[in-house]
Amino acid sequence: MSFSLAEREDTIIALATPQGVGAIAVIRLSGKDAIKICNEVFFGKNLEKQDSHTIHFGTIRDGERVIDEVLVSLFVAPKSFTKENVVEISTHGSSYIINQVIRLFVKKGVRLAKPGEFTQRAFLNGQFDLAQAEAVADLIHADSEASHSAALNQMRGGFSSEIQELRAQLIHFASMIELELDFTEEDVEFASRDDLRVLVEKLLSVVEELILSFDLGNVIKNGVPTVIAGKPNAGKSTLLNALLNEEKAIVSEIAGTTRDFIEDEINIGGVIFRFIDTAGLRETTDTIEAIGVTRTQEKMKTASLILYLFDLSDTDLVEINRDINKLENLGVPFLKVANKTDKAKENIINELKIKHPDTIFISAGQKENLEGLKARILELVNLDKFKTGNTVVTNVRHYDSLARTRESLLDVLNGLDQEVTNDFLAMDIRRSLHYLGEITGEITTDDLLANIFSKFCIGK
Ligand SMILES: Nc1nc2c(ncn2[C@@H]2O[C@H](COP(=O)(O)OP(=O)(O)OP(=O)(O)O)[C@@H](O)[C@H]2O)c(=O)[nH]1
Ligand SMILES: [Mg+2]
């Protein structure tokens, strides 16, 4: 999918609210003729004579036939989302009415919008940069406070302005150095190498911080992968079900019930956690169960957090110590969760309180102290960084471009160290500029844009 210049001249239309029956539906038009064409089918007022940002009551008619009574909101270019003339028609939310209205406009020469075309026009008309446009999509899909806050921060500018400013300074150096190339005979220096080094180092530290934020960003967007691990029958599936409040995983007193992962998301304190119930860890001769155990071990390595669950009625301290030792070697943060308080022996609880005072005691079966467990989970996943409003990179494309930017900036520094000739230096700077520009959209290709906007839904 790519948009030709002629297509950008079209007036486009799409349903902006979800498909299906609702109280009202909003149909959006954008393009130079949006208001003019709407005026041809709208009865009530002359829309072409109205001010921007006003709402008008009237009917939409196909010839003599009234399709619906509607409200029309007007946004006159450039004061609109797309910076073009925009009309939003609020109709009654029946799919029959929606279809009739859209058909009527198509008959009048309006074209159905492609996915993301409104946002793409907003980007092409300079409403925001590419990183911000992508944040619009993230914002629509944000389903927790944390992902919402990351997307909103980016949509409102996020790292874009900082990157743009540093990029502008780097462009200045690039042109100075290229100017020097024209004066090679005279041995002049328009661009101070020391100043250039300071700037490149500053850029590098910004870029590196953004790269580091990606892990956090990813977690915010996709949920914190949290593996529930432990011996068979520890109560892992029971815990998952209790946290979810539904009977998602099969629970039984047979050891080795769960063979494959079962996962689902839970919102704890505004953060999405992806809980993964796994096959119980033990030596087994059952082939399928053995595969499950291997998979559990793999999953544990990539988790952000492990809930190490053990059965108080059936585990001794020697075993617990051995497991904890293994977990410490794995290097993934973990919580010690003692289950089945309802049938535990007193002495093991007391021993644990002394030897492992950070143990959390729960009864998954009786749904006891799940709130305490949730509070500790939230504490362990340190999300303070995002809460202080720091910019977080959540987008793989940005991460890729940032990683390439870092490489080329390091090349510039290397070049400065080794006093390479100007043309090499200029080349490395240009390369850094290219990758930086890819993030904010100063450098784009049709393919890149098509790829980004095709992921949007129609009407956005
Ligand atoms: N008394 C008591 N029983 C529990 C508790 N939690 C789980 N159980 C029981 O322990 C048994 C095993 O529970 P599961 O949730 O299937 O255990 P699991 O860790 O998923 O076991 P595998 O899938 O075999 O690895 C079941 O009979 C549960 O009802 C609890 O807090 N108290
Ligand atoms: Mg299970």
Side-chain angles (χ1 to χ4, degrees), residues 231-238 249-252 254 256-260 262 277-280:
K231 256 196 338 186
N233 268 347
K236 300 178 294 297
S237 301
T238 310
I250 300 172
V251 166
S252 86
I254 302 164
T257 305
T258 308
R259 268 61 193 309
D260 220 336
I262 299 166
D277 176 24
T278 59

Side-chain angles (χ1 to χ4, degrees), residues 28-59:
R28 175 157 65 170
L29 290 101
S30 179
K32 125 177 140 308
D33 297 329
I35 299 174
K36 181 172 148 271
I37 296 175
C38 189
N39 201 36
E40 291 171 14
V41 299
F42 177 82
F43 290 78
K45 268 178 212 164
N46 184 348
L47 294 175
E48 289 190 284
K49 296 222 161 89
Q50 308 302 322
D51 292 335
S52 184
H53 295 69
T54 52
I55 301 178
H56 309 278
F57 175 76
T59 52

Side-chain angles (χ1 to χ4, degrees), residues 129 157-166 440:
D129 71 26
F159 51 75
S160 300
S161 49
E162 194 169 3
I163 285 185
Q164 267 164 2
E165 195 190 303
L166 292 169
T440 47

Side-chain angles (χ1 to χ4, degrees), residues 335-350:
L335 281 180
K336 305 161 194 170
V337 188
N339 188 30
K340 309 194 189 179
T341 45
D342 55 301
K343 64 175 203 186
K345 292 176 230 109
E346 241 347 276
N347 61 334
I348 174 117
I349 294 190
N350 290 334

